[in-house]
Amino acid sequence: MNIIVQGPQGSGKGTQVEKLVQKYNLKHFDAGSLLRKEASEEIKKIMDKGELVPQYYVKQLVEKFIAENPNSGFVFDGYPRTIDQYEELKTILQNKIDYVVNIEISIDESVRRLSLRGREDDKPEAIKRRLQIYHTQTHPVFEKAVAEGIGFEVNGEQSIEQVFADICRKLI
Ligand code: AMP
Protein backbone atom coordinates (compact mmCIF):
# COMPACT_ATOMS: atom_id res chain seq x y z
CA MET A 1 0.00 0.00 0.00
CA ASN A 2 1.32 3.46 -0.94
CA ILE A 3 -0.16 6.47 0.84
CA ILE A 4 0.49 10.17 0.51
CA VAL A 5 -0.30 12.14 3.66
CA GLN A 6 -0.83 15.86 3.36
CA GLY A 7 -1.81 18.57 5.76
CA PRO A 8 -0.81 22.14 6.43
CA GLN A 9 2.25 22.69 8.61
CA GLY A 10 1.25 21.99 12.20
CA SER A 11 -1.57 19.60 11.27
CA GLY A 12 -0.05 16.72 13.25
CA LYS A 13 0.89 14.99 10.02
CA GLY A 14 4.18 13.66 11.39
CA THR A 15 2.45 11.94 14.31
CA GLN A 16 -0.18 10.34 12.11
CA VAL A 17 2.45 9.19 9.63
CA GLU A 18 4.43 7.48 12.40
CA LYS A 19 1.30 5.64 13.50
CA LEU A 20 0.53 4.53 9.93
CA VAL A 21 4.10 3.30 9.48
CA GLN A 22 3.81 1.17 12.62
CA LYS A 23 0.35 -0.22 12.00
CA TYR A 24 0.73 -1.07 8.31
CA ASN A 25 4.47 -1.76 8.30
CA LEU A 26 5.27 0.91 5.71
CA LYS A 27 8.46 2.79 4.93
CA HIS A 28 8.39 6.50 5.71
CA PHE A 29 9.65 8.91 3.09
CA ASP A 30 10.02 12.17 5.01
CA ALA A 31 11.10 14.79 2.49
CA GLY A 32 11.74 17.61 4.97
CA SER A 33 13.87 15.53 7.36
CA LEU A 34 15.89 13.99 4.55
CA LEU A 35 16.51 17.42 3.08
CA ARG A 36 17.52 18.86 6.45
CA LYS A 37 20.03 16.01 6.77
CA GLU A 38 21.39 15.87 3.22
CA ALA A 39 21.03 19.32 1.71
CA SER A 40 23.94 21.61 0.89
CA GLU A 41 24.21 25.04 2.48
CA GLU A 42 22.79 26.57 -0.67
CA ILE A 43 19.69 24.37 -0.54
CA LYS A 44 19.30 25.00 3.20
CA LYS A 45 19.09 28.73 2.51
CA ILE A 46 16.09 28.07 0.27
CA MET A 47 14.49 25.97 3.01
CA ASP A 48 15.05 28.60 5.69
CA LYS A 49 13.08 31.06 3.58
CA GLY A 50 10.19 28.61 3.34
CA GLU A 51 10.56 28.17 -0.44
CA LEU A 52 10.46 24.83 -2.24
CA VAL A 53 13.82 23.37 -3.23
CA PRO A 54 14.37 22.41 -6.90
CA GLN A 55 12.36 19.40 -8.00
CA TYR A 56 15.31 17.37 -9.36
CA TYR A 57 16.83 17.45 -5.90
CA VAL A 58 13.80 15.87 -4.23
CA LYS A 59 13.38 13.46 -7.12
CA GLN A 60 16.86 12.04 -6.50
CA LEU A 61 16.01 11.49 -2.84
CA VAL A 62 12.72 9.76 -3.52
CA GLU A 63 14.13 7.51 -6.24
CA LYS A 64 17.00 6.47 -3.98
CA PHE A 65 14.63 5.78 -1.07
CA ILE A 66 12.32 3.62 -3.18
CA ALA A 67 15.24 1.72 -4.70
CA GLU A 68 16.65 1.03 -1.22
CA ASN A 69 13.35 -0.43 -0.05
CA PRO A 70 12.23 -2.91 -2.70
CA ASN A 71 8.90 -4.70 -2.17
CA SER A 72 7.82 -2.17 0.47
CA GLY A 73 4.76 -0.04 0.84
CA PHE A 74 5.39 3.64 1.52
CA VAL A 75 4.00 6.64 3.27
CA PHE A 76 5.01 9.84 1.50
CA ASP A 77 5.27 12.80 3.86
CA GLY A 78 6.19 16.25 2.60
CA TYR A 79 6.21 14.97 -0.98
CA PRO A 80 4.61 15.47 -3.45
CA ARG A 81 4.14 19.17 -2.78
CA THR A 82 3.12 20.25 -6.29
CA ILE A 83 1.08 18.79 -9.12
CA ASP A 84 4.32 18.26 -11.07
CA GLN A 85 5.78 16.25 -8.20
CA TYR A 86 2.56 14.26 -7.94
CA GLU A 87 2.74 13.32 -11.62
CA GLU A 88 6.41 12.50 -11.16
CA LEU A 89 5.66 10.16 -8.26
CA LYS A 90 2.93 8.44 -10.26
CA THR A 91 5.46 7.73 -12.98
CA ILE A 92 8.06 6.46 -10.50
CA LEU A 93 5.49 4.14 -8.85
CA GLN A 94 3.83 3.14 -12.11
CA ASN A 95 0.57 4.67 -10.89
CA LYS A 96 0.43 2.58 -7.75
CA ILE A 97 -0.78 5.25 -5.35
CA ASP A 98 -3.64 3.98 -3.20
CA TYR A 99 -4.65 6.97 -1.09
CA VAL A 100 -4.01 10.65 -0.65
CA VAL A 101 -5.03 11.71 2.85
CA ASN A 102 -5.50 15.35 3.74
CA ILE A 103 -5.41 16.27 7.43
CA GLU A 104 -7.37 19.49 7.57
CA ILE A 105 -6.87 22.24 10.14
CA SER A 106 -7.71 25.94 9.91
CA ILE A 107 -5.07 28.49 8.96
CA ASP A 108 -5.33 30.10 12.41
CA GLU A 109 -4.73 26.79 14.15
CA SER A 110 -1.82 26.01 11.84
CA VAL A 111 -0.09 29.33 12.58
CA ARG A 112 -0.74 28.90 16.30
CA ARG A 113 0.75 25.39 16.42
CA LEU A 114 3.75 26.33 14.27
CA SER A 115 4.63 29.31 16.44
CA LEU A 116 5.03 26.88 19.35
CA ARG A 117 7.83 24.92 17.61
CA GLY A 118 11.02 26.89 16.84
CA ARG A 119 12.80 25.50 13.79
CA GLU A 120 14.81 27.95 11.69
CA ASP A 121 12.05 27.95 9.07
CA ASP A 122 9.39 28.47 11.77
CA LYS A 123 10.09 32.23 11.80
CA PRO A 124 6.94 34.26 11.04
CA GLU A 125 7.92 35.22 7.47
CA ALA A 126 8.93 31.66 6.55
CA ILE A 127 5.79 30.23 8.16
CA LYS A 128 3.66 32.59 6.09
CA ARG A 129 5.47 31.64 2.91
CA ARG A 130 5.20 27.89 3.60
CA LEU A 131 1.48 28.16 4.28
CA GLN A 132 1.01 30.21 1.13
CA ILE A 133 2.83 27.56 -0.92
CA TYR A 134 0.83 24.86 0.81
CA HIS A 135 -2.49 26.42 -0.13
CA THR A 136 -1.59 27.43 -3.69
CA GLN A 137 0.60 24.49 -4.76
CA THR A 138 0.20 21.53 -2.43
CA HIS A 139 -3.52 21.48 -1.72
CA PRO A 140 -4.27 21.18 -5.47
CA VAL A 141 -2.57 17.76 -5.33
CA PHE A 142 -5.26 16.65 -2.92
CA GLU A 143 -8.01 18.13 -5.09
CA LYS A 144 -6.66 16.20 -8.05
CA ALA A 145 -6.58 12.99 -6.00
CA VAL A 146 -10.21 13.53 -4.99
CA ALA A 147 -11.14 13.89 -8.66
CA GLU A 148 -9.29 10.64 -9.31
CA GLY A 149 -11.24 8.91 -6.53
CA ILE A 150 -8.27 8.27 -4.21
CA GLY A 151 -8.33 11.40 -2.02
CA PHE A 152 -10.04 11.76 1.35
CA GLU A 153 -9.97 14.28 4.15
CA VAL A 154 -9.99 13.97 7.93
CA ASN A 155 -10.56 16.63 10.56
CA GLY A 156 -7.18 17.37 12.18
CA GLU A 157 -8.62 19.38 15.04
CA GLN A 158 -9.43 16.31 17.11
CA SER A 159 -7.42 14.08 19.44
CA ILE A 160 -4.50 12.16 17.94
CA GLU A 161 -6.37 8.88 18.44
CA GLN A 162 -9.53 10.17 16.81
CA VAL A 163 -7.68 11.51 13.76
CA PHE A 164 -5.91 8.17 13.42
CA ALA A 165 -9.15 6.20 13.74
CA ASP A 166 -10.72 8.38 11.03
CA ILE A 167 -7.80 7.71 8.69
CA CYS A 168 -7.71 3.95 9.30
CA ARG A 169 -11.45 3.63 8.71
CA LYS A 170 -10.96 4.86 5.14
CA LEU A 171 -8.07 2.54 4.27
CA ILE A 172 -9.17 -0.82 2.96
P1 AMP B 1 8.85 20.06 5.91
O1 AMP B 1 9.67 19.50 7.02
O2 AMP B 1 8.06 19.01 5.20
O3 AMP B 1 8.01 21.23 6.35
O4 AMP B 1 9.87 20.63 4.82
C1 AMP B 1 10.79 21.65 5.15
C2 AMP B 1 11.28 22.36 3.90
O5 AMP B 1 11.95 21.43 3.04
C3 AMP B 1 10.20 22.97 3.02
O6 AMP B 1 9.77 24.23 3.49
C4 AMP B 1 10.92 23.06 1.68
O7 AMP B 1 11.86 24.11 1.68
C5 AMP B 1 11.71 21.77 1.66
N1 AMP B 1 10.93 20.66 1.06
C6 AMP B 1 10.41 19.57 1.72
N2 AMP B 1 9.76 18.76 0.87
C7 AMP B 1 9.87 19.33 -0.35
C8 AMP B 1 9.39 18.97 -1.64
N3 AMP B 1 8.66 17.87 -1.84
N4 AMP B 1 9.69 19.80 -2.67
C9 AMP B 1 10.42 20.91 -2.49
N5 AMP B 1 10.89 21.31 -1.30
C10 AMP B 1 10.62 20.54 -0.24
Side-chain angles (χ1 to χ4, degrees):
M1 176 161 69
N2 295 319
I3 311 175
I4 296 168
V5 182
Q6 285 197 338
Q9 286 76 10
S11 61
K13 175 167 58 73
T15 305
Q16 297 300 327
V17 165
E18 283 307 330
K19 291 173 81 63
L20 284 168
V21 163
Q22 291 292 324
K23 179 165 178 174
Y24 297 98
N25 193 23
L26 303 168
K27 298 287 179 196
H28 179 190
F29 179 76
D30 179 349
S33 294
L34 277 176
L35 283 167
R36 273 188 292 280
K37 231 187 297 164
E38 311 229 338
S40 62
E41 287 310 310
E42 197 185 341
I43 295 281
K44 282 189 178 140
K45 276 190 205 142
I46 301 175
M47 294 170 67
D48 286 346
K49 282 191 263 175
E51 301 291 338
L52 295 182
V53 310
Q55 183 162 341
Y56 72 85
Y57 206 90
V58 186
K59 186 181 184 201
Q60 284 175 0
L61 292 179
V62 76
E63 283 183 331
K64 182 162 172 263
F65 191 84
I66 290 171
E68 283 170 355
N69 294 286
N71 308 315
S72 300
F74 296 94
V75 182
F76 295 94
D77 170 8
Y79 172 88
R81 260 173 151 93
T82 64
I83 292 280
D84 282 351
Q85 290 185 0
Y86 181 49
E87 295 304 328
E88 174 182 89
L89 182 61
K90 280 187 194 165
T91 304
I92 294 171
L93 292 176
Q94 294 162 346
N95 283 319
K96 292 195 205 87
I97 296 172
D98 298 281
Y99 302 101
V100 180
V101 182
N102 185 43
I103 303 175
E104 188 54 35
I105 61 169
S106 67
I107 294 180
D108 283 353
E109 182 63 11
S110 179
V111 172
R112 195 186 70 79
R113 292 185 187 180
L114 276 187
S115 316
L116 299 174
R117 297 202 311 202
R119 260 169 34 189
E120 188 58 29
D121 59 351
D122 282 347
K123 301 228 167 80
E125 276 314 303
I127 290 179
K128 250 211 231 144
R129 183 65 186 133
R130 279 157 63 213
L131 285 173
Q132 188 182 32
I133 291 174
Y134 178 79
H135 287 285
T136 56
Q137 299 194 50
T138 307
H139 196 263
V141 171
F142 173 67
E143 287 162 12
K144 184 141 203 235
V146 170
E148 293 167 347
I150 58 169
F152 68 84
E153 187 162 278
V154 296
N155 174 9
E157 296 189 34
Q158 313 180 84
S159 70
I160 290 173
E161 291 309 325
Q162 191 57 55
V163 175
F164 190 59
D166 285 358
I167 295 173
C168 292
R169 204 175 317 123
K170 302 264 174 81
L171 308 178
I172 301 165

